[in-house]
């Protein structure tokens, strides 16, 4: 049976594609590409084809059109054919390897999660698909600032934080640039989805520390007074550094941080620094903590004193080491061992003519127990410097 109803058939002028921009996109799709060609018509059947997947082509003139890259599944980077069609059936190709498709990287975590405004912090970025492109250039973006990155593995790259003018929380993303993509300009690049933010903060400052003396065995509770101790990233990684030895810190407020002096291998003066991100420490300044050699034993004269206090005691190191040059925190520590679980304790201020290394003079405190007492010499009213 035949029909006599009229049927219209459109004969197309010669058409074709001369270029597409950009020529690269990730498998996730959604990137708008600009097509330049000739003989283009704005038909509902007009298509762009990326390999085997197609998307609608929107024609704006006989020479210009746009389309969006489709979502595709590839295990690795590929180069595919790019072609266009007016009727959805007949395609004209730009070339068998004209379009580059790759897996977009994913950012899972950063270390540290923030850095001072001065920039220059090496940031470890971990995630997936950091080696998804051949001959690639790695880039990180903090907010709108782009910095180079270096490859470590398929799951890790290293970025360098840029300088920032004000404290802020900025999105961090990564892009993989192919060998020829730099000619396209960074504004056309695809960036990883924002899953992590990066904090830019003011570096804290130190005004003074107390005490500034302690023994090489460590253990002194050191209070650091300054400003900006609560201005770091959240969560912060608060640390103190004595010379090159790092120890955890406890932030008490924006102007106070407390840390325990770590052990050192030798006596001497060591600079004290603070970090809020576990990576960047306050600049080198003259905030010094003096480590003193621990003496092994001390001799006390007399060895028998009244419980009422007030008896002068001469204390000298007898087993090596020294006490210390004069310090305002020098103290004699008395401890009763009658109750081992809760010993009675007392202390008195130590005085001496220079040098302390030759010995010190203490005045016995009022004691509650008529029994044996242990005595240690301390340079900071906290810790004894050796065996009693």
């Amino acid at each position: 049976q035949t029909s006599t109803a009229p049927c219209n058939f459109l004969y197309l002028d010669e058409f074709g594609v001369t270029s597409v921009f950009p020529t690269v996109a990730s498998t996730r799709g959604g990137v708008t590409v600009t097509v330049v060609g000739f003989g283009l018509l704005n038909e509902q059947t007009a298509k762009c084809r990326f390999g085997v997947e197609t998307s609608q082509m929107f024609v704006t003139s006989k020479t210009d059109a746009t389309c969006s890259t489709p979502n595709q599944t590839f295990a690795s980077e590929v180069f595919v054919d790019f072609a266009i069609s007016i009727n959805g059936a007949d395609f004209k190709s730009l070339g068998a390897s004209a379009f580059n498709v790759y897996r977009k990287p994913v950012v899972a975590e950063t270390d540290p999660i923030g850095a001072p405004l001065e920039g220059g912090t090496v940031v470890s970025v971990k995630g997936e698909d950091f080696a998804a492109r051949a001959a690639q250039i790695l880039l990180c973006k903090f907010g709108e600032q782009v910095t180079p990155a270096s490859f470590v593995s398929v799951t890790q790259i290293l970025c360098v934080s840029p300088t920032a003018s004000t404290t802020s929380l900025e999105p961090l993303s990564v892009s993989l640039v192919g060998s020829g993509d730099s000619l396209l300009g960074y504004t056309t690049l695809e960036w990883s989805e924002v899953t992590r933010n990066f904090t830019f903060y003011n570096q804290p400052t130190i005004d003074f520390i107390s005490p500034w003396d302690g023994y090489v065995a460590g253990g002194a509770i050191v209070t650091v007074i300054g400003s900006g101790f609560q201005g770091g990233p959240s969560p912060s990684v608060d640390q103190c550094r004595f010379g090159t030895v790092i120890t955890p810190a406890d932030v008490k407020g924006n102007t106070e941080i407390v840390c325990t002096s770590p052990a050192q291998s030798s006596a001497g003066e060591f600079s004290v620094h603070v970090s809020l991100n576990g990576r960047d420490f306050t600049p080198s300044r003259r905030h010094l903590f003096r480590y003193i050699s621990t003496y092994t034993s001390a001799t006390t004269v007399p060895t028998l004193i009244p419980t009422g206090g007030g008896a002068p005691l001469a204390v000298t190191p007898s087993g090596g080491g020294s006490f210390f040059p004069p310090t305002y925190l020098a103290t004699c520590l008395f401890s009763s061992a009658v109750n081992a679980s809760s010993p009675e304790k007392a202390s008195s201020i130590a005085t001496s003519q220079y040098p302390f290394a030759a010995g010190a003079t203490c005045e016995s405190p009022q004691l509650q127990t008529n029994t044996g007492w242990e005595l240690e010499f301390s340079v900071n009213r906290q810790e004894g410097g050796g065996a009693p």
Side-chain angles (χ1 to χ4, degrees), residues 105-112 122-131 136 138 140 149-159 174 176 279:
V106 176
V107 174
E109 62 180 83
T110 68
D111 180 27
V122 177
V123 181
S124 171
V125 180
K126 293 184 178 181
E128 301 175 5
D129 293 322
F130 292 139
Q136 66 184 9
L138 293 164
C140 290
S150 57
F151 180 81
V152 177
S153 69
V154 294
T155 59
Q156 183 183 14
I157 62 175
L158 299 178
C159 309
V174 172
L176 308 181
R279 192 73 58 83

Side-chain angles (χ1 to χ4, degrees), residues 6 9 11 26 31 55 65 79 88-89 95 101 111 126-127 132 149 189 195 207 237 258 270 305 310 347 352 364:
F9 188 85
Y11 286 90
S26 75
V31 175
S55 65
F79 289 83
V101 183
D111 180 27
K126 293 184 178 181
L189 299 178
T195 58
D207 294 330
V237 181
V258 175
F270 295 82
I305 58 175
S347 64
S352 175
S364 66

Side-chain angles (χ1 to χ4, degrees), residues 64-371:
D64 300 287
T66 60
C67 52
S68 294
T69 60
N71 182 282
Q72 302 189 72
T73 302
F74 292 107
S76 60
E77 180 183 29
V78 295
F79 289 83
V80 299
D81 170 53
F82 178 80
I84 64 170
S85 174
I86 303 301
N87 61 8
D90 301 301
F91 285 84
K92 294 296 180 72
S93 173
L94 181 62
S97 300
F99 203 85
N100 183 198
V101 183
Y102 69 98
R103 291 170 60 90
K104 185 157 64 171
V106 176
V107 174
E109 62 180 83
T110 68
D111 180 27
I113 61 173
L117 301 179
E118 291 78 6
T121 301
V122 177
V123 181
S124 171
V125 180
K126 293 184 178 181
E128 301 175 5
D129 293 322
F130 292 139
R133 303 194 64 188
Q136 66 184 9
I137 301 170
L138 293 164
L139 296 174
C140 290
K141 185 167 67 170
F142 298 78
E144 296 302 321
Q145 295 195 74
V146 177
T147 66
S150 57
F151 180 81
V152 177
S153 69
V154 294
T155 59
Q156 183 183 14
I157 62 175
L158 299 178
C159 309
V160 178
S161 67
T163 58
S165 58
T166 59
T167 57
S168 60
L169 185 67
E170 300 291 349
L172 188 150
S173 53
V174 172
S175 183
L176 308 181
V177 188
S179 57
D181 293 350
S182 59
L183 300 177
L184 306 180
Y186 292 156
T187 57
T188 64
L189 299 178
E190 276 195 89
W191 295 90
S192 61
E193 305 299 327
V194 175
T195 58
R196 290 293 180 270
N197 291 315
F198 195 83
T199 301
F200 288 93
Y201 62 89
N202 286 309
Q203 185 73 290
T205 60
I206 298 176
D207 294 330
F208 66 90
I209 63 173
S210 179
W212 54 75
D213 306 316
Y215 293 103
V216 292
I221 307 301
V222 180
T223 299
V224 181
I225 301 299
S227 61
F229 296 139
Q230 290 181 319
S234 180
S236 59
V237 181
D238 306 310
Q239 295 178 337
C240 290
R241 191 181 73 202
F242 293 71
T244 60
V245 183
I246 296 173
T247 184
D250 182 14
V251 175
K252 299 299 185 181
N254 198 49
T255 61
E256 181 181 348
I257 194 169
V258 175
C259 44
T260 302
S261 66
Q264 299 285 357
S265 60
S266 61
E269 294 184 334
F270 295 82
S271 60
V272 178
H273 309 268
V274 169
S275 174
L276 304 184
N277 67 355
R279 192 73 58 83
D280 299 288
F281 286 84
T282 50
S284 177
R285 293 181 180 173
R286 297 295 295 178
H287 300 293
L288 301 177
F289 188 86
R290 294 191 290 187
Y291 279 88
I292 300 93
S293 297
T294 306
Y295 63 89
T296 57
S297 62
T299 300
T300 305
V301 178
T303 59
L304 184 64
I305 58 175
T307 58
L313 298 174
V315 186
T316 57
S318 58
S322 61
F323 285 160
F324 194 57
T327 168
Y328 78 100
L329 292 179
T331 308
C332 287
L333 303 178
F334 296 78
S335 177
S336 170
V338 173
N339 184 349
S341 62
S342 181
E344 181 182 349
K345 295 184 179 180
S347 64
S348 67
I349 304 301
T351 61
S352 175
Q353 295 182 347
Y354 185 87
F356 259 116
T361 300
C362 299
E363 185 177 281
S364 66
Q366 186 174 6
L367 305 174
Q368 302 298 320
T369 305
N370 186 13
T371 186

